[in-house]
Amino acid sequence: MSDYHKGTRLKLTELREYQSDRTGRTYFAGYLGGNRIVMLRDDRAECTGKETARWTVFLEEAPPRDQTKAAPPAVTTKRRRKASESKGPELNLTQARTAADRRAEAAMRDRGLDPHAPMSSDPIPF
């Protein structure tokens, strides 16, 4: 085996394998944030070396969720006003952090990343 060093992995998304009803071809699909990922096998691509196949990954805007399935209950203006009056002073961002935010920051620190470091604007090399 080569000198490949298996570093820390961070799960980006999960893709599921499907088979097209129309063509019978295998493809993969999943979601990343508010976008849908589709991975299709490129049978026209010329494989080199030890490749057995080439796959092309597409990112597309996710279809809107069906409004009838998980529509949250409507909040009336009266309920909204009453809730805002009972909260007291405005919360700042550090107070409004959710449990998910705290878990994400802890996971980044566990991987040696500073969650509060400025983001780099380096271009992605192709």
Side-chain angles (χ1 to χ4, degrees), residues 25-28 38-48 51-58:
R25 296 179 67 189
T26 300
Y27 68 96
F28 296 84
V38 179
M39 187 168 75
L40 304 173
R41 185 177 179 143
D42 187 354
D43 292 329
R44 291 181 278 169
E46 191 174 319
C47 294
T48 59
E51 288 179 330
T52 58
R54 250 199 223 162
W55 295 79
T56 304
V57 179
F58 298 95

Side-chain angles (χ1 to χ4, degrees), residues 34-109:
N35 298 300
R36 184 165 190 250
I37 294 178
V38 179
M39 187 168 75
L40 304 173
R41 185 177 179 143
D42 187 354
D43 292 329
R44 291 181 278 169
E46 191 174 319
C47 294
T48 59
K50 293 184 178 183
E51 288 179 330
T52 58
R54 250 199 223 162
W55 295 79
T56 304
V57 179
F58 298 95
L59 185 67
E60 55 189 39
E61 190 174 340
R65 290 186 175 191
D66 185 8
Q67 297 297 328
T68 59
K69 282 188 178 178
V75 178
T76 64
T77 307
K78 185 177 179 181
R79 283 176 51 196
R80 202 176 293 131
R81 190 177 308 122
K82 185 176 181 180
S84 65
E85 289 170 358
S86 65
K87 286 184 184 176
E90 190 79 21
L91 293 177
N92 66 28
L93 288 179
T94 55
Q95 293 172 325
R97 289 185 357 182
T98 64
D101 293 331
R102 290 188 295 275
R103 285 193 307 272
E105 286 182 5
M108 289 177 73
R109 279 193 293 278

